[in-house]
Amino acid sequence: MNNLENKNIIVTGATGGIGNSIIKKFSHAGAKILATGTRIEKLEEIKKKHENIKILKFDISQSDKIQDFIENATKELGGSLDGIINNAGITQDNLSIRMSLEEWQKVIDINLTSTFLMCKFAIKKMLKNKSGKIVNITSVVGHTGNLGQANYTASKAGIIAMSKSLAIEYAKKNINVNCISPGFIKTAMTDSIDEKFKEAIISKIPSARLGEPDDIANAVLFLSSDQSDYINGETIHVNGGMYMA
């Protein structure tokens, strides 16, 4: 039992494969969910499929509007906030010597700065409850680095260090801040990878397969539940053994 019945939880990046799986798991566990993303038609589809879903279209790149978003989302959920899953993010790949300042800044701003602000304003709500769970989705490449992704890897590594700092600051307030670091997961993004490159990736994974979105969602569910109350500032690696901390 994951003790999530009637918990109020925000999920960003809700319209992607991982976001969809997270929402499905939370809905089955009885949580009340505020799903957000940039594609309203996809959000409407999610709402039709699952129970206890509220939706709000929002682009997390609008950093000056994040505080208002958290306020509006909390109101939609009935006035309190128990958890937030920061799943939204972007890539804009290029070799480092060709990467423009704009390419660098955009990925850092959306993946790292906006995630920090989502955490900041969510924590303010959670302090009123004297408890809360924050799960930030990072990436295996935030630990290993990756060709053509200096901006993305820096943003994901930054989330990990930031989450540790937030965990230290608010542990005594019963607010847990943890990360999940996915490996290569079956999503629209990995579907577009050339088959030869995909085979090369799989050859480096001890489990010899790509992960499923549900693999990530299961870990998110655990870290959002009462079962993880004594876990704080940690990163759970869900990558089939591709990287071991």
Side-chain angles (χ1 to χ4, degrees), residues 5-69:
E5 190 169 354
N6 294 319
K7 295 286 188 181
N8 297 324
I9 299 173
I10 295 171
V11 180
T12 75
T15 59
I18 291 174
N20 263 294
S21 289
I22 291 169
I23 286 168
K24 179 181 69 176
K25 295 284 184 181
F26 280 168
S27 179
H28 288 168
K32 294 191 288 184
I33 307 151
L34 187 290
T36 185
T38 58
R39 296 178 291 176
I40 189 64
E41 70 282 357
K42 292 291 185 180
L43 291 172
E44 293 286 358
E45 288 176 15
I46 290 169
K47 188 176 181 180
K48 290 176 183 177
K49 287 180 182 178
H50 304 293
E51 297 180 358
N52 301 322
I53 300 284
K54 302 281 187 178
I55 59 173
L56 276 179
K57 182 182 177 183
F58 184 66
D59 184 345
I60 67 166
S61 69
Q62 298 175 302
S63 57
D64 59 330
K65 296 180 180 179
I66 287 176
Q67 184 173 12
D68 287 342
F69 166 75

Short mmCIF file of all heavy atoms in Angstrom, two decimals, residues 5-69:
data_model
loop_
_atom_site.label_atom_id
_atom_site.label_comp_id
_atom_site.label_asym_id
_atom_site.label_seq_id
_atom_site.Cartn_x
_atom_site.Cartn_y
_atom_site.Cartn_z
N GLU A 5 -3.71 7.82 -1.15
CA GLU A 5 -5.12 8.14 -1.33
C GLU A 5 -5.40 9.57 -0.86
O GLU A 5 -5.05 9.96 0.26
CB GLU A 5 -6.00 7.16 -0.57
CG GLU A 5 -7.46 7.29 -0.90
CD GLU A 5 -8.30 6.15 -0.36
OE1 GLU A 5 -7.70 5.19 0.18
OE2 GLU A 5 -9.52 6.21 -0.48
N ASN A 6 -6.00 10.35 -1.75
CA ASN A 6 -6.38 11.75 -1.50
C ASN A 6 -5.19 12.70 -1.31
O ASN A 6 -5.37 13.84 -0.88
CB ASN A 6 -7.31 11.85 -0.29
CG ASN A 6 -8.64 11.17 -0.56
OD1 ASN A 6 -9.20 11.29 -1.65
ND2 ASN A 6 -9.13 10.43 0.42
N LYS A 7 -3.98 12.26 -1.63
CA LYS A 7 -2.82 13.16 -1.63
C LYS A 7 -2.90 14.06 -2.86
O LYS A 7 -3.23 13.61 -3.95
CB LYS A 7 -1.52 12.37 -1.65
CG LYS A 7 -1.26 11.54 -0.41
CD LYS A 7 -0.86 12.38 0.78
CE LYS A 7 -0.43 11.53 1.96
NZ LYS A 7 -0.07 12.34 3.13
N ASN A 8 -2.57 15.33 -2.68
CA ASN A 8 -2.62 16.31 -3.77
C ASN A 8 -1.24 16.46 -4.40
O ASN A 8 -0.31 16.91 -3.73
CB ASN A 8 -3.09 17.66 -3.24
CG ASN A 8 -4.50 17.60 -2.68
OD1 ASN A 8 -5.34 16.89 -3.21
ND2 ASN A 8 -4.75 18.35 -1.62
N ILE A 9 -1.12 16.08 -5.68
CA ILE A 9 0.18 16.00 -6.32
C ILE A 9 0.16 16.66 -7.70
O ILE A 9 -0.74 16.42 -8.50
CB ILE A 9 0.63 14.52 -6.46
CG1 ILE A 9 0.76 13.88 -5.07
CG2 ILE A 9 1.96 14.42 -7.22
CD1 ILE A 9 1.02 12.40 -5.07
N ILE A 10 1.17 17.49 -7.95
CA ILE A 10 1.37 18.11 -9.27
C ILE A 10 2.35 17.26 -10.07
O ILE A 10 3.39 16.85 -9.54
CB ILE A 10 1.94 19.54 -9.12
CG1 ILE A 10 0.92 20.46 -8.43
CG2 ILE A 10 2.31 20.12 -10.49
CD1 ILE A 10 1.49 21.81 -8.05
N VAL A 11 2.04 17.03 -11.33
CA VAL A 11 2.95 16.32 -12.24
C VAL A 11 3.20 17.20 -13.46
O VAL A 11 2.27 17.53 -14.20
CB VAL A 11 2.36 14.97 -12.71
CG1 VAL A 11 3.32 14.26 -13.65
CG2 VAL A 11 2.03 14.07 -11.51
N THR A 12 4.44 17.61 -13.67
CA THR A 12 4.79 18.39 -14.85
C THR A 12 5.24 17.44 -15.97
O THR A 12 5.59 16.29 -15.71
CB THR A 12 5.90 19.42 -14.56
OG1 THR A 12 7.17 18.76 -14.44
CG2 THR A 12 5.61 20.21 -13.29
N GLY A 13 5.25 17.95 -17.19
CA GLY A 13 5.60 17.09 -18.32
C GLY A 13 4.66 15.91 -18.43
O GLY A 13 5.06 14.80 -18.79
N ALA A 14 3.36 16.18 -18.16
CA ALA A 14 2.39 15.10 -18.02
C ALA A 14 2.03 14.43 -19.33
O ALA A 14 1.52 13.30 -19.33
CB ALA A 14 1.12 15.63 -17.36
N THR A 15 2.28 15.08 -20.46
CA THR A 15 1.80 14.55 -21.73
C THR A 15 2.77 13.60 -22.41
O THR A 15 2.44 13.00 -23.43
CB THR A 15 1.45 15.71 -22.70
OG1 THR A 15 2.62 16.51 -22.91
CG2 THR A 15 0.34 16.58 -22.13
N GLY A 16 3.98 13.45 -21.88
CA GLY A 16 4.95 12.52 -22.45
C GLY A 16 4.74 11.11 -21.93
O GLY A 16 3.87 10.85 -21.08
N GLY A 17 5.55 10.19 -22.43
CA GLY A 17 5.40 8.79 -22.06
C GLY A 17 5.61 8.54 -20.58
O GLY A 17 4.82 7.81 -19.94
N ILE A 18 6.65 9.11 -20.00
CA ILE A 18 6.91 8.93 -18.57
C ILE A 18 5.84 9.62 -17.75
O ILE A 18 5.32 9.06 -16.78
CB ILE A 18 8.32 9.43 -18.21
CG1 ILE A 18 9.39 8.51 -18.83
CG2 ILE A 18 8.51 9.50 -16.69
CD1 ILE A 18 10.81 8.99 -18.66
N GLY A 19 5.47 10.84 -18.13
CA GLY A 19 4.42 11.56 -17.42
C GLY A 19 3.11 10.81 -17.41
O GLY A 19 2.42 10.72 -16.38
N ASN A 20 2.74 10.23 -18.54
CA ASN A 20 1.52 9.43 -18.64
C ASN A 20 1.53 8.26 -17.67
O ASN A 20 0.53 7.96 -17.01
CB ASN A 20 1.35 8.92 -20.07
CG ASN A 20 0.42 9.78 -20.89
OD1 ASN A 20 -0.77 9.87 -20.61
ND2 ASN A 20 0.95 10.43 -21.91
N SER A 21 2.66 7.58 -17.60
CA SER A 21 2.77 6.42 -16.72
C SER A 21 2.70 6.83 -15.25
O SER A 21 2.09 6.13 -14.44
CB SER A 21 4.09 5.67 -16.99
OG SER A 21 4.04 5.01 -18.23
N ILE A 22 3.32 7.95 -14.92
CA ILE A 22 3.27 8.45 -13.54
C ILE A 22 1.82 8.73 -13.14
O ILE A 22 1.36 8.33 -12.07
CB ILE A 22 4.14 9.71 -13.39
CG1 ILE A 22 5.63 9.35 -13.52
CG2 ILE A 22 3.87 10.39 -12.04
CD1 ILE A 22 6.55 10.56 -13.64
N ILE A 23 1.10 9.40 -14.02
CA ILE A 23 -0.29 9.75 -13.73
C ILE A 23 -1.15 8.49 -13.58
O ILE A 23 -2.00 8.40 -12.69
CB ILE A 23 -0.84 10.69 -14.81
CG1 ILE A 23 -0.23 12.07 -14.62
CG2 ILE A 23 -2.36 10.75 -14.79
CD1 ILE A 23 -0.44 13.02 -15.76
N LYS A 24 -0.93 7.51 -14.43
CA LYS A 24 -1.68 6.25 -14.35
C LYS A 24 -1.46 5.59 -12.99
O LYS A 24 -2.43 5.16 -12.34
CB LYS A 24 -1.24 5.31 -15.47
CG LYS A 24 -1.93 3.96 -15.46
CD LYS A 24 -1.42 3.07 -16.59
CE LYS A 24 0.02 2.65 -16.35
NZ LYS A 24 0.53 1.71 -17.38
N LYS A 25 -0.21 5.53 -12.55
CA LYS A 25 0.10 4.90 -11.26
C LYS A 25 -0.54 5.67 -10.11
O LYS A 25 -1.12 5.08 -9.18
CB LYS A 25 1.61 4.83 -11.06
CG LYS A 25 2.35 3.95 -12.04
CD LYS A 25 2.17 2.48 -11.74
CE LYS A 25 3.00 1.63 -12.70
NZ LYS A 25 2.81 0.18 -12.45
N PHE A 26 -0.43 7.00 -10.15
CA PHE A 26 -1.00 7.82 -9.08
C PHE A 26 -2.52 7.72 -9.04
O PHE A 26 -3.13 7.67 -7.97
CB PHE A 26 -0.59 9.28 -9.25
CG PHE A 26 0.78 9.61 -8.76
CD1 PHE A 26 1.38 10.82 -9.06
CD2 PHE A 26 1.50 8.71 -7.99
CE1 PHE A 26 2.64 11.13 -8.60
CE2 PHE A 26 2.77 9.00 -7.52
CZ PHE A 26 3.34 10.22 -7.83
N SER A 27 -3.14 7.70 -10.22
CA SER A 27 -4.59 7.58 -10.28
C SER A 27 -5.07 6.28 -9.66
O SER A 27 -6.02 6.25 -8.88
CB SER A 27 -5.06 7.69 -11.73
OG SER A 27 -6.46 7.57 -11.83
N HIS A 28 -4.38 5.19 -9.97
CA HIS A 28 -4.73 3.89 -9.41
C HIS A 28 -4.52 3.85 -7.90
O HIS A 28 -5.22 3.12 -7.19
CB HIS A 28 -3.90 2.78 -10.07
CG HIS A 28 -4.31 2.51 -11.49
ND1 HIS A 28 -3.55 1.74 -12.34
CD2 HIS A 28 -5.37 2.92 -12.22
CE1 HIS A 28 -4.14 1.69 -13.53
NE2 HIS A 28 -5.24 2.40 -13.47
N ALA A 29 -3.57 4.66 -7.41
CA ALA A 29 -3.29 4.71 -5.97
C ALA A 29 -4.23 5.65 -5.23
O ALA A 29 -4.14 5.76 -4.00
CB ALA A 29 -1.84 5.12 -5.74
N GLY A 30 -5.11 6.34 -5.96
CA GLY A 30 -6.11 7.19 -5.32
C GLY A 30 -5.67 8.61 -5.06
O GLY A 30 -6.37 9.36 -4.35
N ALA A 31 -4.54 9.02 -5.63
CA ALA A 31 -4.07 10.40 -5.45
C ALA A 31 -4.92 11.36 -6.28
O ALA A 31 -5.53 10.97 -7.27
CB ALA A 31 -2.62 10.51 -5.87
N LYS A 32 -4.96 12.61 -5.84
CA LYS A 32 -5.58 13.69 -6.61
C LYS A 32 -4.46 14.41 -7.35
O LYS A 32 -3.52 14.90 -6.74
CB LYS A 32 -6.35 14.63 -5.70
CG LYS A 32 -7.56 13.97 -5.05
CD LYS A 32 -8.45 14.97 -4.36
CE LYS A 32 -7.83 15.51 -3.08
NZ LYS A 32 -8.74 16.41 -2.34
N ILE A 33 -4.58 14.47 -8.67
CA ILE A 33 -3.46 14.89 -9.52
C ILE A 33 -3.79 16.17 -10.28
O ILE A 33 -4.89 16.32 -10.82
CB ILE A 33 -3.12 13.78 -10.55
CG1 ILE A 33 -2.89 12.45 -9.85
CG2 ILE A 33 -1.91 14.16 -11.39
CD1 ILE A 33 -3.23 11.25 -10.69
N LEU A 34 -2.83 17.07 -10.32
CA LEU A 34 -2.88 18.22 -11.21
C LEU A 34 -1.85 17.96 -12.30
O LEU A 34 -0.64 17.99 -12.04
CB LEU A 34 -2.59 19.52 -10.45
CG LEU A 34 -2.76 20.87 -11.16
CD1 LEU A 34 -1.72 21.14 -12.22
CD2 LEU A 34 -4.16 21.03 -11.72
N ALA A 35 -2.31 17.66 -13.51
CA ALA A 35 -1.42 17.37 -14.63
C ALA A 35 -1.19 18.63 -15.44
O ALA A 35 -2.14 19.36 -15.76
CB ALA A 35 -2.03 16.29 -15.52
N THR A 36 0.06 18.91 -15.77
CA THR A 36 0.37 20.10 -16.55
C THR A 36 1.33 19.79 -17.68
O THR A 36 2.14 18.86 -17.61
CB THR A 36 0.93 21.22 -15.65
OG1 THR A 36 1.11 22.40 -16.42
CG2 THR A 36 2.28 20.83 -15.05
N GLY A 37 1.23 20.58 -18.73
CA GLY A 37 2.07 20.45 -19.91
C GLY A 37 1.71 21.57 -20.87
O GLY A 37 0.90 22.45 -20.54
N THR A 38 2.28 21.53 -22.06
CA THR A 38 2.06 22.61 -23.02
C THR A 38 1.02 22.26 -24.08
O THR A 38 0.62 23.13 -24.84
CB THR A 38 3.38 22.97 -23.73
OG1 THR A 38 3.91 21.80 -24.37
CG2 THR A 38 4.41 23.50 -22.72
N ARG A 39 0.58 21.00 -24.12
CA ARG A 39 -0.36 20.57 -25.17
C ARG A 39 -1.73 20.28 -24.56
O ARG A 39 -1.94 19.23 -23.97
CB ARG A 39 0.18 19.36 -25.90
CG ARG A 39 1.48 19.64 -26.67
CD ARG A 39 2.02 18.40 -27.35
NE ARG A 39 2.52 17.43 -26.38
CZ ARG A 39 2.98 16.22 -26.70
NH1 ARG A 39 2.98 15.83 -27.97
NH2 ARG A 39 3.43 15.40 -25.77
N ILE A 40 -2.65 21.22 -24.70
CA ILE A 40 -3.94 21.10 -24.03
C ILE A 40 -4.73 19.90 -24.54
O ILE A 40 -5.44 19.24 -23.76
CB ILE A 40 -4.77 22.40 -24.19
CG1 ILE A 40 -6.03 22.35 -23.32
CG2 ILE A 40 -5.12 22.65 -25.65
CD1 ILE A 40 -5.76 22.29 -21.84
N GLU A 41 -4.60 19.55 -25.83
CA GLU A 41 -5.36 18.41 -26.35
C GLU A 41 -4.88 17.11 -25.71
O GLU A 41 -5.68 16.21 -25.42
CB GLU A 41 -5.25 18.33 -27.88
CG GLU A 41 -3.90 17.95 -28.47
CD GLU A 41 -2.88 19.09 -28.48
OE1 GLU A 41 -3.23 20.22 -28.09
OE2 GLU A 41 -1.73 18.84 -28.89
N LYS A 42 -3.59 17.00 -25.44
CA LYS A 42 -3.06 15.81 -24.77
C LYS A 42 -3.50 15.77 -23.30
O LYS A 42 -3.78 14.70 -22.76
CB LYS A 42 -1.53 15.79 -24.85
CG LYS A 42 -0.98 15.56 -26.24
CD LYS A 42 -1.24 14.15 -26.72
CE LYS A 42 -0.60 13.87 -28.07
NZ LYS A 42 -0.86 12.49 -28.53
N LEU A 43 -3.54 16.94 -22.67
CA LEU A 43 -4.01 17.01 -21.29
C LEU A 43 -5.47 16.58 -21.20
O LEU A 43 -5.86 15.88 -20.26
CB LEU A 43 -3.83 18.43 -20.74
CG LEU A 43 -2.39 18.90 -20.51
CD1 LEU A 43 -2.38 20.38 -20.15
CD2 LEU A 43 -1.71 18.08 -19.41
N GLU A 44 -6.25 17.01 -22.17
CA GLU A 44 -7.67 16.62 -22.19
C GLU A 44 -7.82 15.10 -22.34
O GLU A 44 -8.70 14.49 -21.72
CB GLU A 44 -8.41 17.34 -23.33
CG GLU A 44 -8.54 18.84 -23.16
CD GLU A 44 -9.58 19.24 -22.11
OE1 GLU A 44 -10.22 18.34 -21.54
OE2 GLU A 44 -9.73 20.45 -21.88
N GLU A 45 -6.97 14.49 -23.16
CA GLU A 45 -6.99 13.03 -23.32
C GLU A 45 -6.68 12.33 -22.00
O GLU A 45 -7.32 11.33 -21.64
CB GLU A 45 -5.98 12.60 -24.38
CG GLU A 45 -6.38 12.95 -25.81
CD GLU A 45 -5.30 12.59 -26.81
OE1 GLU A 45 -4.38 11.81 -26.44
OE2 GLU A 45 -5.35 13.08 -27.96
N ILE A 46 -5.69 12.85 -21.28
CA ILE A 46 -5.32 12.27 -19.99
C ILE A 46 -6.49 12.36 -19.01
O ILE A 46 -6.79 11.41 -18.29
CB ILE A 46 -4.08 12.99 -19.42
CG1 ILE A 46 -2.83 12.63 -20.24
CG2 ILE A 46 -3.86 12.63 -17.95
CD1 ILE A 46 -1.62 13.48 -19.92
N LYS A 47 -7.14 13.50 -19.00
CA LYS A 47 -8.26 13.71 -18.08
C LYS A 47 -9.39 12.71 -18.33
O LYS A 47 -10.05 12.23 -17.39
CB LYS A 47 -8.78 15.14 -18.21
CG LYS A 47 -9.81 15.52 -17.17
CD LYS A 47 -10.20 16.98 -17.29
CE LYS A 47 -11.21 17.37 -16.23
NZ LYS A 47 -11.60 18.79 -16.33
N LYS A 48 -9.62 12.37 -19.60
CA LYS A 48 -10.68 11.42 -19.95
C LYS A 48 -10.34 10.00 -19.52
O LYS A 48 -11.22 9.19 -19.23
CB LYS A 48 -10.94 11.45 -21.45
CG LYS A 48 -11.61 12.74 -21.94
CD LYS A 48 -11.74 12.73 -23.46
CE LYS A 48 -12.35 14.04 -23.96
NZ LYS A 48 -12.41 14.08 -25.45
N LYS A 49 -9.04 9.68 -19.48
CA LYS A 49 -8.60 8.31 -19.21
C LYS A 49 -8.57 7.96 -17.72
O LYS A 49 -8.70 6.79 -17.35
CB LYS A 49 -7.20 8.08 -19.78
CG LYS A 49 -7.14 7.97 -21.29
CD LYS A 49 -5.69 7.75 -21.73
CE LYS A 49 -5.57 7.68 -23.24
NZ LYS A 49 -4.15 7.52 -23.65
N HIS A 50 -8.34 8.97 -16.87
CA HIS A 50 -8.06 8.68 -15.46
C HIS A 50 -8.98 9.44 -14.52
O HIS A 50 -9.51 10.49 -14.86
CB HIS A 50 -6.60 9.02 -15.14
CG HIS A 50 -5.61 8.34 -16.02
ND1 HIS A 50 -5.40 6.98 -15.98
CD2 HIS A 50 -4.77 8.82 -16.97
CE1 HIS A 50 -4.47 6.65 -16.87
NE2 HIS A 50 -4.08 7.74 -17.48
N GLU A 51 -9.12 8.91 -13.33
CA GLU A 51 -9.91 9.55 -12.30
C GLU A 51 -9.06 10.53 -11.49
O GLU A 51 -7.84 10.46 -11.48
CB GLU A 51 -10.50 8.49 -11.35
CG GLU A 51 -11.45 7.52 -12.02
CD GLU A 51 -12.01 6.50 -11.06
OE1 GLU A 51 -11.62 6.54 -9.88
OE2 GLU A 51 -12.83 5.67 -11.49
N ASN A 52 -9.74 11.44 -10.80
CA ASN A 52 -9.09 12.38 -9.88
C ASN A 52 -8.04 13.26 -10.57
O ASN A 52 -7.00 13.55 -9.99
CB ASN A 52 -8.43 11.63 -8.72
CG ASN A 52 -9.42 10.81 -7.92
OD1 ASN A 52 -10.55 11.24 -7.71
ND2 ASN A 52 -9.01 9.63 -7.50
N ILE A 53 -8.34 13.69 -11.80
CA ILE A 53 -7.38 14.49 -12.56
C ILE A 53 -7.92 15.91 -12.78
O ILE A 53 -9.04 16.11 -13.21
CB ILE A 53 -7.11 13.87 -13.95
CG1 ILE A 53 -6.53 12.47 -13.82
CG2 ILE A 53 -6.18 14.76 -14.77
CD1 ILE A 53 -5.10 12.41 -13.44
N LYS A 54 -7.07 16.88 -12.43
CA LYS A 54 -7.28 18.26 -12.84
C LYS A 54 -6.17 18.59 -13.83
O LYS A 54 -5.07 18.03 -13.76
CB LYS A 54 -7.19 19.21 -11.64
CG LYS A 54 -8.17 18.92 -10.52
CD LYS A 54 -9.55 19.44 -10.85
CE LYS A 54 -10.48 19.31 -9.65
NZ LYS A 54 -11.81 19.85 -9.93
N ILE A 55 -6.43 19.49 -14.78
CA ILE A 55 -5.40 19.85 -15.75
C ILE A 55 -5.24 21.37 -15.83
O ILE A 55 -6.20 22.12 -15.65
CB ILE A 55 -5.72 19.29 -17.16
CG1 ILE A 55 -7.06 19.81 -17.68
CG2 ILE A 55 -5.68 17.77 -17.14
CD1 ILE A 55 -7.34 19.43 -19.12
N LEU A 56 -4.01 21.80 -16.06
CA LEU A 56 -3.69 23.20 -16.31
C LEU A 56 -2.60 23.26 -17.37
O LEU A 56 -1.53 22.66 -17.18
CB LEU A 56 -3.19 23.90 -15.05
CG LEU A 56 -4.19 24.46 -14.05
CD1 LEU A 56 -3.45 25.09 -12.87
CD2 LEU A 56 -5.11 25.49 -14.70
N LYS A 57 -2.86 23.94 -18.45
CA LYS A 57 -1.81 24.15 -19.45
C LYS A 57 -0.80 25.15 -18.90
O LYS A 57 -1.18 26.22 -18.40
CB LYS A 57 -2.41 24.68 -20.75
CG LYS A 57 -1.39 24.88 -21.86
CD LYS A 57 -2.04 25.46 -23.11
CE LYS A 57 -0.99 25.74 -24.18
NZ LYS A 57 -1.57 26.36 -25.38
N PHE A 58 0.47 24.78 -18.96
CA PHE A 58 1.51 25.70 -18.49
C PHE A 58 2.84 25.34 -19.11
O PHE A 58 3.17 24.16 -19.24
CB PHE A 58 1.63 25.67 -16.96
CG PHE A 58 2.61 26.67 -16.42
CD1 PHE A 58 2.37 28.02 -16.55
CD2 PHE A 58 3.78 26.26 -15.80
CE1 PHE A 58 3.28 28.96 -16.06
CE2 PHE A 58 4.69 27.17 -15.31
CZ PHE A 58 4.44 28.53 -15.44
N ASP A 59 3.60 26.35 -19.47
CA ASP A 59 4.95 26.19 -20.03
C ASP A 59 5.94 26.60 -18.95
O ASP A 59 5.99 27.77 -18.56
CB ASP A 59 5.09 27.08 -21.27
CG ASP A 59 6.42 26.90 -21.98
OD1 ASP A 59 7.34 26.31 -21.37
OD2 ASP A 59 6.55 27.38 -23.12
N ILE A 60 6.73 25.65 -18.44
CA ILE A 60 7.62 25.96 -17.33
C ILE A 60 8.76 26.91 -17.72
O ILE A 60 9.47 27.39 -16.84
CB ILE A 60 8.20 24.69 -16.67
CG1 ILE A 60 9.15 23.94 -17.61
CG2 ILE A 60 7.10 23.78 -16.16
CD1 ILE A 60 9.99 22.89 -16.89
N SER A 61 8.91 27.19 -19.02
CA SER A 61 9.90 28.19 -19.43
C SER A 61 9.49 29.59 -18.98
O SER A 61 10.33 30.50 -18.93
CB SER A 61 10.11 28.17 -20.94
OG SER A 61 8.96 28.65 -21.62
N GLN A 62 8.23 29.77 -18.63
CA GLN A 62 7.74 31.07 -18.15
C GLN A 62 8.06 31.20 -16.65
O GLN A 62 7.19 31.14 -15.79
CB GLN A 62 6.24 31.19 -18.39
CG GLN A 62 5.87 31.12 -19.87
CD GLN A 62 4.37 31.12 -20.07
OE1 GLN A 62 3.65 30.26 -19.57
NE2 GLN A 62 3.87 32.10 -20.82
N SER A 63 9.34 31.39 -16.37
CA SER A 63 9.80 31.36 -14.98
C SER A 63 9.15 32.43 -14.11
O SER A 63 8.94 32.22 -12.91
CB SER A 63 11.33 31.51 -14.93
OG SER A 63 11.75 32.71 -15.56
N ASP A 64 8.80 33.57 -14.72
CA ASP A 64 8.18 34.65 -13.94
C ASP A 64 6.73 34.34 -13.56
O ASP A 64 6.13 35.07 -12.76
CB ASP A 64 8.25 35.97 -14.71
CG ASP A 64 7.54 35.90 -16.07
OD1 ASP A 64 7.50 34.81 -16.67
OD2 ASP A 64 7.04 36.94 -16.53
N LYS A 65 6.18 33.26 -14.11
CA LYS A 65 4.79 32.90 -13.83
C LYS A 65 4.67 31.61 -13.00
O LYS A 65 3.56 31.14 -12.74
CB LYS A 65 4.01 32.74 -15.14
CG LYS A 65 3.91 34.04 -15.93
CD LYS A 65 3.13 33.84 -17.22
CE LYS A 65 3.04 35.17 -18.01
NZ LYS A 65 2.31 35.00 -19.28
N ILE A 66 5.80 31.06 -12.58
CA ILE A 66 5.77 29.79 -11.85
C ILE A 66 5.10 29.93 -10.49
O ILE A 66 4.33 29.06 -10.08
CB ILE A 66 7.19 29.19 -11.73
CG1 ILE A 66 7.63 28.65 -13.10
CG2 ILE A 66 7.25 28.09 -10.67
CD1 ILE A 66 9.04 28.12 -13.16
N GLN A 67 5.35 31.01 -9.80
CA GLN A 67 4.70 31.20 -8.50
C GLN A 67 3.18 31.23 -8.65
O GLN A 67 2.46 30.58 -7.89
CB GLN A 67 5.17 32.49 -7.83
CG GLN A 67 4.58 32.68 -6.43
CD GLN A 67 5.17 33.86 -5.70
OE1 GLN A 67 5.87 34.71 -6.28
NE2 GLN A 67 4.92 33.94 -4.40
N ASP A 68 2.69 31.93 -9.65
CA ASP A 68 1.25 31.98 -9.91
C ASP A 68 0.72 30.60 -10.29
O ASP A 68 -0.39 30.22 -9.89
CB ASP A 68 0.93 32.98 -11.02
CG ASP A 68 1.09 34.42 -10.58
OD1 ASP A 68 1.10 34.67 -9.36
OD2 ASP A 68 1.22 35.29 -11.46
N PHE A 69 1.51 29.86 -11.08
CA PHE A 69 1.08 28.50 -11.45
C PHE A 69 0.90 27.62 -10.23
O PHE A 69 -0.10 26.91 -10.10
CB PHE A 69 2.09 27.85 -12.41
CG PHE A 69 1.86 26.38 -12.56
CD1 PHE A 69 0.81 25.89 -13.31
CD2 PHE A 69 2.68 25.47 -11.90
CE1 PHE A 69 0.57 24.53 -13.42
CE2 PHE A 69 2.45 24.11 -11.99
CZ PHE A 69 1.39 23.64 -12.76
#
